[in-house]
Amino acid sequence: FDVQPATRSATVWIEQQRYRSATLTAGRTVRAASGVLPPWIDRITVVGVDVGVETWRIAVNRAEFEKFSQYRGSAEEIRRSADLDPVQPDHRDADLSGLVKLPSFSWDMGPGFRQQIGGPDGFYFGQLLWRVTGDFRPTERLSFSAALSFNLLNNFDEINLESNSLLPRVRSDIVEYLQQGQQAVTKLEANYITALRSGVYARLSAGLFEDMYGGVASEVLWRPHFQRWAVGVNANVVQQRDYAVRFNFRDYRVATGHLNLYYDFPWYGLKSKVSFGRYLAKDWGSTIEVAREFRSGATLGVFATFTDVPARVFGEGSFDKGFYLSLPFDLVFPRSTRRSVGFLFRPLTRDGGQKVRDGIDLYNATDAGNGGRIVSDWADVVR
């Protein structure tokens, strides 16, 4: 809490991993804060913090909110008196030292799945594994994350396909990784995230990013105050990991980077992303992605990548494409959670148009501040 007697207002910062909805988080925070704040406080501002940076601010009139609790008001009346304020870099209007419990450590373990769908040797190949993950956060901005996987059961030995790619084999050697990397250090990375100014976020990352690549990476995202659009730039230098997915590397090294344009349409929960830049096989081109996010939190999307690699060099399939599905756990869990499970389907794994998964994605990490979703989900403020 930060109470300002001169303006008869209070500000509450909250970092949580339970609710996806910013308005639901704000409403429940205001309800809890009203029970402990002095009666002369007229306005309560709730600030959402994700990955150590502010992602949204909602200022609510306390009297209007309490009218609803007495069945004399509505969510629409609260909205008319509320303000969606600009986020502040580095929490400049308050000193939060001592309020955040750092350093912090958390870990988890449980079953997981690894799969390869499509190919001439069969439609589905999968692995049941035991996954152990851990996160260490020494400061508000800096975090370390690790993931280990241990094989329980798989049918990857039935895959006989060998790569015949004419491009550098940046992804088409996937069979070697599936068969030799069954006990793997999947991830071991560090991320530093900060806000350069209001709505401008930056990230530096280093480590083992995924099964196939490790290196160093950076990203800058400009996400204006409660707007539907955003612009980002990311760049990295990565090296291909050894097939055993431990700590050794192969000889292939490449620098990649992209300009990313985002826009959320005001209808049907449609979201889009267009990327321009250099890919892992040193090809240049663009990726177009369109997804629909449903009210339940489930997301269904499609993507296609076109680069300067001609179809005869790319190989079967001519260009990279596929679709994905993300399902939130709270569809079946008895309590809310931000966690989800995703499925990605590519008809073929080729080398053209491939990106590396490097560090924490800033757009997804700050998506709680999506202005369009906050407006459409406003009724959640009184749930």
Side-chain angles (χ1 to χ4, degrees), residues 165 167 307 309-320 350-353:
S165 178
L167 295 169
T307 71
V309 174
R312 60 179 179 80
V313 176
F314 182 91
E316 185 181 359
S318 301
F319 63 94
D320 188 55
R350 307 296 294 180
D351 294 312

Side-chain angles (χ1 to χ4, degrees), residues 58 61 76 126 163 262:
I58 298 177
N61 183 288
E76 180 59 26
S163 173
Y262 306 86

